[in-house]
Amino acid sequence: MGIDRAAVDHIARLARLDLSDAERSRMQTELAQILGHAERIQSLDLDGVEPTSHSIPLSNVTRPDEVGPSLTQEEALQNAPDAEDGRFKVPRIIEDA
Amino acid sequence: MVASRFLASSKMPELHWTGARELARMLEAKEVSSEEVTRAFIERGQAVDDKLHAYLAPTAEIALDSARAADERRAVGNALSAFDGVPIAYKDIFCTKGVRTTSGSRILEGFVPPYDSTVVARGHGAGLPMLGKLNMDEFAMGSSTENSGYGPTHNPWDLDAVPGGSSGGSTALVAAGGSPWSWGTDTGGSVRQPASVCGLVGVKPTYGLVSRYGVIAFASSLDSPGPITRTVEDAAALLSIGAGHDPHDSTSIPNRAEDYLDGIDAGISGMRIGIVDEFQGAAGTQPGVTTRIDEAYERLEKLGAKLEHISLPSFEHGISAYYLVAPAEASSNLARYDGVRYAFRAQGDDIVSMMSRTRDEGFGDEVKRRVMLGTYALAAGYYDAYYGKAQKVRTLITRDLQRAYESVDLIVSPTSPTTAFKIGERTSDPLAMYLSDIFTVPVNMAGNAGISVPCGLSPDDGLPVGLQIIAKSLDEKTMFRAAYAFEKDLGWIDSPEGRPSL
Amino acid sequence: MNVVADKYETTIGLETHVELSTKSKMFCACEVGFAGEPNTRTCPVCLALPGSLPVANEKAIEYTLKIALALNCSIATRSLFHRKNYFYPDMPKNYQISQYDFPLGSKGFLEITGEWGTKRIGINRVHLEEDTGKSTHIGGSGRIADSDYSLEDFNRAGTPLVEIVSEPDIGSAEEARAYVTEMRALLESLDVSDVRMEEGSMRVDANISIALMGAEEFGAKVEVKNMNSIRSVARALEHEEVRQRKALDAGEILIQETRHFDEKNGTTSSLRTKEFAFDYRYFPEPDLVPFEPDPATVESIKSSLPETPAVRRQRFAAEYGLSEYDVGVLTSSRATSQWFEAAATVYAGEAKKIANWITADLFGLLNEAGIELADSKITPAQLAGLVELIDAGTISGKQAKNVLAEMFTSGKDAADIAKDLGLEQVSDEGALETAVDEVIAENADAADKVRAGQLNTIGFLVGQVMKKTKGQANPGIVNDLLKRKLS
Ligand SMILES: [Mg+2]
Ligand SMILES: [Zn+2]
């Protein structure tokens, strides 16, 4: 499975990774190698096989609608890199996929 | 006066080489105090850790306070559990209220959780003093602990070799006598493989048996917290403390808590044990490992088990499927590390550059590699070919195992194709590193229980080899029975050879 | 009528998000609600702290099933939560737990009535997800576009949110208005959300495309956001219909884009210059297990669904003989219907009278004061009391309007107010007799005309008596007295 530089750039943007050029080239080789190994399962005939997303046969796990304790504002912001007026401060928001 | 009695008693074994069950007995018999025991492990840890770098954060003061509290409880006959006062250490993947927790990543440097993971809370509930937080591959991604953002951990059996991973700090510390036991997590072998290469017992319980609440997620559908100990009995005991239903984890199995020590010594005569054809002579298996494993099979037969060959065709695809499923889930689980709410933030003049730089600078190479791989496997146009197919392979692996368990009670294999490899030996070749999980990964994919138990040192390099025993889901008791019988008959762990000369 | 309108065909699909009024959040025990200091309703789960895990709120699932069933949806036998992955600072995990190919409800419909008669709008899906936190943009105009930085409050993050996606069956802005009005009334009648669009507990986004009549495929899909009231939904879509038609007439090619509705000048503007192809990388949420609704439970929810606004409208018309207009106003919300029915049951006479007082007078007062019926001081029983005073002839209809206004502000009973204002009419014959006798004496020839049988002249004499009594006399009684004395 070849993976071109454009794909690496697209994936890096989706994953919010500001990779250097060197990292991108290395990533391109390594991903191709690993995905190449994964090619083996491409050949398998898996039609009609149900996918497994959970290895345990559980269903309908819910909690009652009851209010429990929340963190204080101080606890919530305790690890914040930047905060203002009891809220988390972030740089200018721009739209991007 | 407790202390004086301790000092008086001659032929007292070195405390730090004493197992948890024996320590519990001594505490109950007032032969020793928890403060003395805890101090012994703290001092041993301090003595060896400059060589090992097993600790990311020792918490000696917290441990000693808890130890004194345990002694007070025992003095008035109010022990919280049979193990009240027996210290423990945790992989840094478990959230600990008020104690910095990083999952081995720089992106979480300085993060202090406001809550305890369920495993840690149950440890506190049983009265186990916490010695500290242990090194690991960043976000549990690795098999050598070389991927830690805080530097590698060394193997007590060979300081130039890796302790395995990702729970390498947890295995190195216990192997060196720095703690009687510890908790690790196993997503593709991260408890069993490091236990194997450090000459310890490592358990990967049935998925959902031990709560994941407060365990920093790597691959949610595979992550299983597990005990790391020197003996099978201690492993069964620690699992009994940590297992049980947790309403905070939707994937927690609603089972009643069990005492896994029950009937552990019932023996294995008549037990049917399967040997996986597909694993025989697997590429890259070290000759010395094969030697010890073949001996182990003979020993099991000698103990009365019926060995038979079974075929698990889907297992050869385990690694391929695992390295799509785990990175896919990880790419999503690790999205929250964006510099907004906690810990590390890199500067950026808009939100996208801030997040992207934070993640590029905060994550190590292996994490970035898997986040990229997982994002790719889930991306439009690739999902069906990669993630979708991998989830179907998972179904095949589960079916193969179910079919196998119609004819056998347990399945055995090497835990790892090799003994501990040298630090730096495989860092340049990620795929080779991935292939060292070949025997352990299918168990996580199916959600079954597995254990690694020592079977001596490899004749070619003198390093520990581990035997993997795989049980049905929720059949841990049968698994412990076999491991216990094997361990006792081998008698290796209690022999001088069972301890690294550090 | 409009030539342009006939040349083109409008296709609208609406996506409605409703915050459920559960006590606790969707996946954690934090309290749901708008009040409170920023970040005081958060926990490791809704802040996405490392290691935290979601557990689904059973009430939220029940509410979603209620909504799906009320919208005539079929309920999934096996439903899954998925992760919708994208980075946004108001979304703590940088993925939203939502539903993808196995929603709780699908393939339903909502009926809307108007000049087009009754039309069925298909419901594609009803699914359950979680809300985001709130960003405040600091600097510039306060709009995201030119702000310097933003502040994040996660009190709202994790509030249960139901998404209802319509089929593209809506053919005009008017139909869209009817759909949202009907949807809001239906949701309100289910008591699962406070459906306040102004406060964002109900949000509507639209997809509108315009193509030549009978064209094979739809025109470019334009998404319209930021419509904070039913009225603005209609205004925004009317504007888009006109804008897109003009563009097409001018031979322009419309592009697929997202546009922002500006409440002030009633226009839309493109939200982003470049449009990204989002790739949400949906996959089954591994931290949650499948949900398989128990058929018995589904049946019991279905059978215990409250009366829908549509059914209630028919009942009001039949049971109370109300006009279409009155029915419309009185069923506009569950609260209003209940208020009306409470008053109607207390009141002995025709419910129609009660209806008139509510729709004509009471709603006038409410609009002036800009408050909801529920928030007004006056009770249903008090309104019934007022109408009874009129029936008894204690006060006139004209005086009743002033009394109602007073009741509205003071919350006092009609009778007390009538007393205070000295409005009660003098109906005691003894008290009126002297005045009547005086008037007869003072207007001898008019009196003779009446005696001679010219009964129409009696009105003049009644008027004189009213003058004498400064309007306090009960005209009916005066009339009878005069007739008796002059026959
Ligand atoms: Mg939505
Ligand atoms: Zn919360």
Side-chain angles (χ1 to χ4, degrees):
Chain A
M1 166 76 197
I3 160 166
D4 60 16
R5 175 58 179 262
V8 172
D9 293 342
H10 173 65
I11 298 301
R13 203 188 79 228
L14 279 179
R16 290 285 188 275
L17 286 170
D18 185 20
L19 303 175
S20 67
D21 274 6
E23 282 181 300
R24 284 168 202 263
S25 331
R26 202 179 71 240
M27 211 55 95
Q28 189 175 341
T29 327
E30 288 168 350
L31 291 189
Q33 184 195 17
I34 297 159
L35 290 167
H37 189 268
E39 282 304 302
R40 300 168 182 211
I41 65 171
Q42 301 308 309
S43 53
L44 294 173
D45 173 20
L46 296 165
D47 297 348
V49 178
E50 278 296 306
T52 297
S53 51
H54 302 80
S55 57
I56 37 163
L58 285 178
S59 64
N60 298 17
V61 177
T62 57
R63 40 170 279 270
D65 181 24
E66 287 159 9
V67 173
S70 290
L71 298 170
T72 64
Q73 189 185 73
E74 190 190 7
E75 289 169 321
L77 296 169
Q78 166 197 359
N79 289 291
D82 198 1
E84 184 175 300
D85 299 340
R87 286 166 289 182
F88 297 85
K89 186 175 177 182
V90 299
R92 194 165 54 84
I93 296 174
I94 57 166
E95 301 284 343
D96 189 5
Chain B
M1 31 72 105
V2 172
S4 56
R5 194 188 316 138
F6 165 56
L7 295 171
S9 59
S10 58
K11 290 207 247 47
M12 170 68 64
E14 285 175 293
L15 269 182
H16 68 261
W17 285 120
T18 310
R21 287 202 81 195
E22 172 60 9
L23 289 170
R25 189 198 58 74
M26 291 165 73
L27 286 165
E28 181 59 23
K30 305 277 196 297
E31 292 170 17
V32 66
S33 73
S34 172
E35 185 172 357
E36 288 162 330
V37 170
T38 305
R39 202 176 289 282
F41 284 103
I42 290 169
E43 282 164 5
R44 173 65 177 179
Q46 285 164 347
V48 296
D49 204 45
D50 53 349
K51 299 198 196 75
L52 299 178
H53 186 45
Y55 274 111
L56 286 181
T59 54
E61 284 320 306
I62 296 175
L64 288 169
D65 288 346
S66 322
R68 285 185 280 265
D71 288 331
E72 284 163 23
R73 286 191 295 269
R74 286 201 181 262
V76 295
N78 280 348
L80 290 173
S81 77
F83 296 88
D84 197 349
V86 177
I88 192 165
Y90 298 95
K91 186 179 186 179
D92 201 36
I93 204 168
F94 293 94
C95 284
T96 42
K97 185 173 186 176
V99 176
R100 41 79 64 216
T101 301
T102 66
S103 201
S105 182
R106 288 281 175 187
I107 212 165
L108 276 173
E109 189 159 16
F111 174 70
V112 178
Y115 76 113
D116 275 324
S117 57
T118 298
V119 164
V120 169
R122 291 191 178 177
H124 293 339
L128 315 184
M130 178 172 75
L131 294 167
K133 307 297 294 294
L134 304 172
N135 201 11
M136 57 184 284
D137 284 299
E138 182 177 12
F139 288 108
M141 297 178 188
S143 311
S144 68
T145 315
E146 292 166 288
N147 297 333
S148 168
Y150 303 91
T153 294
H154 300 257
N155 190 321
W157 293 87
D158 172 0
L159 293 173
D160 298 330
V162 302
S166 65
S167 309
S170 300
T171 53
L173 186 69
V174 174
S179 176
W181 50 14
S182 66
W183 276 100
T185 59
D186 190 312
T187 303
S190 285
V191 161
R192 288 160 292 163
Q193 182 260 9
S196 165
V197 302
C198 284
L200 298 174
V201 174
V203 179
K204 182 257 174 249
T206 302
Y207 180 85
L209 182 60
V210 178
S211 171
R212 292 184 297 116
Y213 188 70
V215 178
I216 297 178
F218 163 14
S220 309
S221 74
L222 304 167
D223 296 343
S224 308
I228 292 163
T229 61
R230 302 189 69 248
T231 69
V232 174
E233 278 184 300
D234 283 356
L238 187 52
L239 184 60
S240 306
I241 292 172
H245 181 250
D246 178 9
H248 294 299
D249 177 356
S250 304
T251 61
S252 167
I253 299 170
N255 66 321
R256 65 210 172 331
E258 281 196 84
D259 180 355
Y260 294 99
L261 286 165
D262 270 6
I264 196 168
D265 55 1
I268 60 170
S269 96
M271 227 181 241
R272 299 162 309 165
I273 298 179
I275 297 169
V276 186
D277 284 337
E278 286 75 9
F279 285 171
Q280 291 301 91
T285 308
Q286 190 178 318
V289 169
T290 309
T291 310
R292 288 285 172 262
I293 292 298
D294 290 344
E295 289 168 11
Y297 295 165
E298 286 161 24
R299 187 177 300 276
L300 290 168
E301 225 156 10
K302 188 197 87 185
L303 290 167
K306 292 188 180 58
L307 269 63
E308 54 188 80
H309 286 269
I310 57 167
S311 174
L312 300 168
S314 62
F315 272 39
E316 67 174 294
H317 301 296
I319 289 284
S320 304
Y322 173 84
Y323 277 97
L324 292 171
V325 171
E329 293 182 6
S331 69
S332 176
N333 285 331
L334 270 57
R336 68 188 56 192
Y337 308 108
D338 60 2
V340 172
R341 280 152 285 105
Y342 38 79
F344 177 70
R345 169 188 292 192
Q347 290 315 308
D349 45 19
D350 64 57
I351 192 74
V352 174
S353 62
M354 184 281 278
M355 286 184 178
S356 305
R357 287 180 195 163
T358 296
R359 292 165 61 77
D360 182 55
E361 294 172 31
F363 288 146
D365 290 345
E366 182 61 24
V367 171
K368 286 190 245 181
R369 191 180 295 124
R370 297 204 200 184
V371 166
M372 288 288 287
L373 183 58
T375 305
Y376 186 88
L378 290 173
Y382 304 111
Y383 182 96
D384 293 337
Y386 290 106
Y387 188 75
K389 280 220 165 176
Q391 293 289 55
K392 290 180 171 189
V393 169
R394 232 176 135 168
T395 308
L396 298 185
I397 292 173
T398 310
R399 281 189 200 158
D400 279 359
L401 275 171
Q402 280 163 352
R403 200 181 322 101
Y405 283 118
E406 286 165 12
S407 57
V408 300
D409 304 304
L410 296 168
I411 294 166
V412 289
S413 80
T415 303
S416 174
T418 68
T419 56
F421 47 89
K422 295 282 187 235
I423 291 174
E425 185 182 310
R426 298 186 188 174
T427 40
S428 55
D429 185 353
L431 189 54
M433 184 80 87
Y434 295 177
L435 290 172
S436 62
D437 301 337
I438 180 169
F439 301 132
T440 49
V441 151
V443 182
N444 300 79
M445 295 294 272
N448 288 45
I451 188 171
S452 180
V453 57
C455 46
L457 303 177
S458 168
D460 44 25
D461 58 14
L463 292 175
V465 175
L467 169 74
Q468 173 174 240
I469 304 173
I470 307 167
K472 296 189 196 85
S473 286
L474 294 176
D475 196 19
E476 275 78 4
K477 283 197 164 182
T478 309
M479 178 181 85
F480 282 127
R481 257 173 69 195
Y484 179 84
F486 177 81
E487 173 193 77
K488 284 285 169 260
D489 191 66
L490 181 65
W492 179 80
I493 196 72
D494 305 317
S495 73
E497 193 193 292
R499 293 173 196 169
S501 54
L502 189 67
Chain C
M1 65 236 124
N2 170 347
V3 194
V4 186
D6 302 333
K7 190 162 138 211
Y8 296 110
E9 195 165 20
T10 302
T11 307
I12 297 170
L14 294 176
E15 199 177 282
T16 309
H17 283 91
V18 216
E19 285 180 340
L20 299 180
S21 49
T22 50
K23 293 196 208 72
S24 64
K25 289 185 179 181
M26 183 61 227
F27 297 113
C28 63
C30 290
E31 187 177 5
V32 164
F34 296 99
E37 288 295 297
N39 296 302
T40 53
R41 292 170 187 227
T42 68
C43 70
V45 176
C46 58
L47 270 184
L49 295 192
S52 62
L53 294 171
V55 185
N57 182 332
E58 66 184 3
K59 197 57 147 186
I61 291 174
E62 182 196 318
Y63 282 3
T64 310
L65 292 172
K66 243 176 148 181
I67 294 170
L69 289 165
L71 287 166
N72 312 290
C73 287
S74 42
I75 302 301
T77 50
R78 185 166 176 279
S79 187
L80 281 185
F81 285 101
H82 271 62
R83 290 186 184 179
K84 181 181 185 180
N85 297 281
Y86 64 99
F87 285 82
Y88 212 83
D90 66 7
M91 191 167 57
K93 299 185 292 298
N94 284 316
Y95 59 80
Q96 179 192 35
I97 301 178
S98 182
Q99 299 198 273
Y100 185 51
D101 45 4
F102 298 95
L104 278 162
S106 57
K107 300 276 153 292
F109 64 84
L110 178 68
E111 282 182 341
I112 58 170
T113 317
E115 69 215 357
W116 52 82
T118 293
K119 181 175 178 181
R120 237 174 220 203
I121 306 299
I123 300 296
N124 173 281
R125 60 193 280 124
V126 173
H127 80 237
L128 181 53
E129 56 188 32
E130 57 181 336
D131 207 346
T132 61
K134 272 211 172 97
S135 300
T136 312
H137 309 298
I138 310 294
S141 67
R143 278 272 302 273
I144 179 168
D146 60 352
S147 60
D148 303 329
Y149 61 93
S150 299
L151 298 175
E152 303 296 336
D153 169 16
F154 295 106
N155 283 351
R156 193 183 69 177
T159 299
L161 199 62
V162 164
E163 178 177 320
I164 303 163
V165 182
S166 87
E167 297 291 355
D169 295 345
I170 300 164
S172 69
E174 255 323 293
E175 287 183 17
R177 179 206 298 272
Y179 174 91
V180 179
T181 309
E182 192 65 24
M183 181 65 74
R184 188 180 179 286
L186 180 72
L187 293 169
E188 205 238 7
S189 74
L190 295 172
D191 197 16
V192 294
S193 168
D194 56 13
V195 290
R196 299 199 173 184
M197 290 184 76
E198 308 68 28
E199 281 153 34
S201 58
M202 176 173 168
R203 287 164 249 161
V204 178
D205 297 332
N207 284 312
I208 175 169
S209 69
I210 286 174
L212 278 171
M213 197 58 91
E216 281 304 303
E217 69 274 349
F218 297 132
K221 196 163 66 163
V222 173
E223 189 180 11
V224 186
K225 290 183 172 291
N226 191 48
M227 302 170 291
N228 303 325
S229 68
I230 293 177
R231 185 161 162 274
S232 55
V233 169
R235 283 174 70 213
L237 292 174
E238 274 156 20
H239 171 81
E240 269 304 296
E241 270 188 293
V242 174
R243 184 189 71 85
Q244 293 188 31
R245 288 190 157 117
K246 285 214 185 97
L248 290 170
D249 283 338
E252 293 172 33
I253 309 287
L254 290 165
I255 54 153
Q256 175 160 345
E257 61 176 343
T258 301
R259 298 179 70 88
H260 180 97
F261 178 62
D262 182 335
E263 193 72 57
K264 269 188 258 67
N265 49 38
T267 59
T268 66
S269 56
S270 189
L271 200 56
R272 307 196 199 102
T273 47
K274 75 178 148 139
E275 189 66 20
F276 291 99
F278 279 85
D279 183 347
Y280 293 123
R281 288 156 285 141
Y282 281 97
F283 73 101
E285 165 57 283
D287 288 332
L288 294 167
V289 299
F291 190 80
E292 292 161 359
D294 160 38
T297 315
V298 172
E299 261 321 299
S300 73
I301 294 175
K302 195 171 187 174
S303 55
S304 59
L305 283 176
E307 180 179 50
T308 67
V311 172
R312 188 183 299 133
R313 281 195 296 270
Q314 289 158 10
R315 186 168 63 79
F316 274 27
E319 206 169 297
Y320 304 113
L322 303 180
S323 71
E324 195 183 316
Y325 173 79
D326 284 358
V327 169
V329 178
L330 294 176
T331 56
S332 62
S333 81
R334 187 172 88 269
T336 310
S337 324
Q338 286 170 345
W339 206 99
F340 162 73
E341 292 209 274
T345 33
V346 177
Y347 179 60
E350 270 194 1
K352 215 176 169 339
K353 287 196 201 155
I354 296 286
N356 292 336
W357 276 95
I358 295 176
T359 58
D361 305 279
L362 187 51
F363 267 74
L365 293 166
L366 288 168
N367 293 339
E368 279 172 40
I371 59 170
E372 297 283 316
L373 186 48
D375 314 329
S376 81
K377 287 212 184 78
I378 182 164
T379 69
Q382 286 176 316
L383 181 69
L386 175 70
V387 182
E388 274 154 5
L389 280 186
I390 305 163
D391 296 346
T394 315
I395 58 175
S396 70
K398 198 157 143 299
Q399 293 167 327
K401 292 187 190 295
N402 307 329
V403 174
L404 180 67
E406 179 59 26
M407 293 166 79
F408 186 77
T409 46
S410 69
K412 286 203 240 127
D413 285 353
D416 303 343
I417 294 165
K419 256 202 206 65
D420 302 351
L421 300 180
L423 290 180
E424 285 143 320
Q425 297 175 340
V426 181
S427 310
D428 163 32
E429 297 200 5
L432 292 174
E433 201 152 8
T434 30
V436 171
D437 291 341
E438 286 173 32
V439 167
I440 291 174
E442 287 158 16
N443 307 277
D445 44 352
D448 292 336
K449 287 201 178 123
V450 178
R451 289 199 186 86
Q454 286 190 42
L455 290 180
N456 54 353
T457 320
I458 214 163
F460 165 77
L461 295 171
V462 173
Q464 298 306 306
V465 178
M466 293 311 284
K467 256 213 210 90
K468 252 193 193 327
T469 59
K470 303 190 185 55
Q472 294 223 15
N474 179 329
I477 310 260
V478 172
N479 200 306
D480 299 347
L481 275 172
L482 286 164
K483 279 204 194 127
R484 234 184 297 140
K485 288 173 180 290
L486 301 174
S487 54

